[in-house]
Every structure is written in structure tokens, then in C-alpha cells.
Amino acid sequence: MSSATKDKKLAAQVEKIVAVTPIHDVHTHLYAPAFGELLLYGIDELLTYHYLIAEGFRYFDLPYKKFWALTKTQQADLIWDELFIQHSPVSESCRGVLTTLNALGLDVKKRDLKGVRKWFATQKPDAYTTRCMELAGVKSICMTNSPFDDLERPVWEKGFSGDSRFVTALRIDPLLLDWSNTAPKLAQWGYNVTSEISAKTVEEVRRFLREWSKRMGARYVMVSLPPDFKYPAQTVCNQLIEGAVLPHCRETGLPFALMPGVTRAVNPQLKLAGDGVGLTDLKFLTNLCAQYPDNKFLVTILARENQHELCVLARKFRNLHVFGCWWFNNIPLLIEENTRMRLELLGLSVTPQHSDARVLDQLIYKWRHSREVITNVLVDKYADLARTGWEPTKVEIERDVALLFGGAFEKFLKG
Ligand code: HDL
Ligand code: ZN
């Protein structure tokens, strides 16, 4: 058989395996149907995803306030007209909406938003959740769960019948990044804390972390960090990390997930769409990984320019696991660049992608688009191996892809 034919056969095999290997989506903003209105889905949610709002405002000349005063349907109409009808929907977020509609069997050629809306009105949350997960090839969804979310907290306090497809992560940004406003809330919830970080306060923050990790069954503890985050440094954030979060994670075996590089509200008038990106000095991560070898750190980073150094750090510290092409990295160009770099520097000890989906139906496009890119990279990597005479077997490729699609992450959680 010629090498060209062999390559074609191998490529087809890799493509098939990637297509059918189910995915653990390790970071999303989705909710199980039991969370009611917190679970977002349907065309108006897809069109008013904050990525599209940011892109829409590049054309809108209406004042921000006027846009926010519109109903969600009116906002969606505006975005549809501007980003799909007046301009071809070539951006990743626009194309994603069409990928999803097409996968659901809707004919986007008609450009019939009214008809699409009518179809979505017939979808029921539970059955539709199953349908979206099947079309996306996703077998489990990790939520972002926050005791500080006034809509979410009551659901946990009341209790609900769990859905094994949805797992949890304890998100603690307000605790670490906004202590002055968070301390009074903890006190109100019965934690004996004060604004100054005394030994008692640290002990009570640990109790808060312990109780909420247990209540939620959290698989990791997560925080996003500004680009100028430093460790060590004499800050409240670092006192809470050192005194409460890291000991809690060691005691429970939970990884601490860090997402550095986000500058919140660079344009506050865009609300959720107003956050930006900044270059992070990763010295902090070297210090944390070196100083706390018994803690596990999950990291995804926002600046493209930080990605290579993060990979090199992961080569130095086995308690560091790199995951995802986060937010502004979640475009084919950077998914390809990141995945190639990671496989070439870290082999299979990495989790190339998470969806970060906020709207259930996004799972379909986020994973179809990512699978396409990851397939292309893997085809190249296995072809490189084949050229050395090392012919990867079907079982080996299936094992490898399962690792990349959540298996390595699971091993890291249990490690
Ligand atoms: O902080 C985060 O988890 C980010 O993912 C933000 O939620 C951001 O708004 C987002 O959705 N990015 O994809
Ligand atoms: Zn996120």
C-alpha cells in the first residue's frame, strides 16, 4: 500500500475515532434542567450570547442603554439583522449559531428567524438537553457553581434531584477578589468572619469551602485572576489562598483551577461582554506549583502570548494540568495553534478543550468546531509517527483520544 493511501486510511480512522469518542466538558456555565431558568437554550439565547453582543456593537449606533432596555427577542432581532443579514456571519460565534441550527435539522438557507423561533418554542428542557448532548457528543458537563449567585444558591439550599450528566465546580471569585463585599455575606450566612483576615476568619472561610464543596459535590475549586495577579504578595486574596483554599484543596484532594488574564469590565457598558484580556506574569504559577507540591493546579490562560510559557511550566510541574482554549482563544486559529503546541510539548497529559458554553445548544457548535481542528492536528501527529515506522493501532488512538477528551483530566483529579 502506498504511503499516501496509508495516510488517507489513517486520517479516516482518526476522524472516526474523534467523532465518536464522548467528551467530558470540564468547564461550562450551563446548568442541569433542575436549575430552571438558569438553564439557557434556544435561538434568542444563542443570538444574545455576550460574544455576539460585543460583535453587534461594532455596528450598532444605538446607545448601550437603549439596547439593554430592549427585550431579549428584540435584542436577538437586532443582532440577527446586523451580524447575519447585513453582514455575512463569518465570525466564530456567528458561524457557531448556524452550525447548531444546521445540526438540529433547521434550514438556515431560508434565513427565516421567525420559523426558527417557532421550532425552538416546541422544545422541552429535559429532552432537548439530551438531544444537544447527543449531537455534541458530550457525556458529562461540568457546571460553574457559585454560592454567591442569588439565583443559584436557593436551589442548593432547597435541594433538587441531581442529574448525573452534570457535575459541579465551586467558583469562588467573589471570595478571593472582592472580600470587602463578600465578608458581610458570609457573616450573614452564619460564618464568623470579619473584614480583617484573622485566624478565626481563615478558619471560618475553610468551613465555608468545606461545607459548599460537600453540598455541591465539587470536583474542583475555581477562580479567574486578573493579569497583574502576583504570588507571593501581601494581599487579602493571597492570605485566603494560603490560609484557606490551598489547605482545603489538600484536605479534600480537590484541584485548584486558576484562570489568569481576564481584565473585568474594560467596557462596563457591555456588561458580561465587557471583559478584556491582559498579559500575565506566570512567575506566580511557578511559585505556587513549586511551593505547594501537594496541591494540584488546573490552569487555562487568556492571553495567546502566555500559552507557550504555560506549556513549559507544565513540563516542569506534574501538579499542573493545562486545559482548554479559553474564551478569546476559542477560535479555530488558536485551537489549532494551542493543540499543536501542547501535543508537541506535553504529549497526551493535557486537556485540549472545554466549551465554556453558556447556552445549552452552543455545545453542538463548540464541540463540532473543536473536534474538526483537533482531528486535523491528531492526523498530522499520527502521520508523523507512521513515517517513523511506528504505526499507531486503532486501540491506541481510541485510548489517546479518550485521554484528551477528559480521561487525562479525570486521572489528574484522582491523582
Ligand atoms: O470567568 C469565566 O469563567 C469566563 O469563561 C467568563 O464566564 C466569560 O464571560 C465567558 O463566558 N467566556 O467564554
Ligand atoms: Zn468560563
Side-chain angles (χ1 to χ4, degrees), residues 27 29 259 326 356:
H27 171 60
H29 297 272
M259 308 205 299
W326 182 29
D356 231 318

Side-chain angles (χ1 to χ4, degrees), residues 143-154:
M143 301 184 277
T144 296
N145 301 102
S146 170
F148 306 101
D149 180 315
D150 293 336
L151 284 176
E152 180 181 357
R153 190 176 56 258

Side-chain angles (χ1 to χ4, degrees), residues 189-252:
W189 298 339
Y191 297 97
N192 182 8
V193 300
T194 59
S195 56
E196 141 257 348
I197 306 292
S198 63
K200 184 67 191 159
T201 288
V202 170
E203 187 192 306
E204 284 293 274
V205 168
R206 271 190 79 170
R207 183 166 70 90
F208 165 81
L209 292 169
R210 200 175 312 124
E211 290 177 357
W212 276 97
S213 297
K214 191 156 178 281
R215 179 175 292 137
M216 291 178 164
R219 312 189 84 223
Y220 57 80
V221 180
M222 176 180 264
V223 67
S224 67
L225 294 167
D228 60 358
F229 178 74
K230 298 271 178 284
Y231 184 90
Q234 271 313 316
T235 61
V236 163
C237 176
N238 282 356
Q239 285 176 280
L240 292 171
I241 286 176
E242 277 167 345
V245 180
L246 291 176
H248 169 67
C249 289
R250 282 197 299 277
E251 173 194 312
T252 54

Side-chain angles (χ1 to χ4, degrees), residues 27-29 51 144 171 222 259 264 326-327 354-358:
H27 171 60
T28 77
H29 297 272
Y51 291 29
T144 296
R171 185 67 178 256
M222 176 180 264
M259 308 205 299
R264 296 290 177 187
W326 182 29
W327 205 337
H354 67 275
S355 72
D356 231 318
R358 283 180 170 273

Side-chain angles (χ1 to χ4, degrees), residues 395-409:
V395 170
E396 287 168 339
I397 299 170
E398 285 168 343
R399 170 205 60 197
D400 299 348
V401 174
L403 282 170
L404 293 174
F405 279 1
F409 195 87

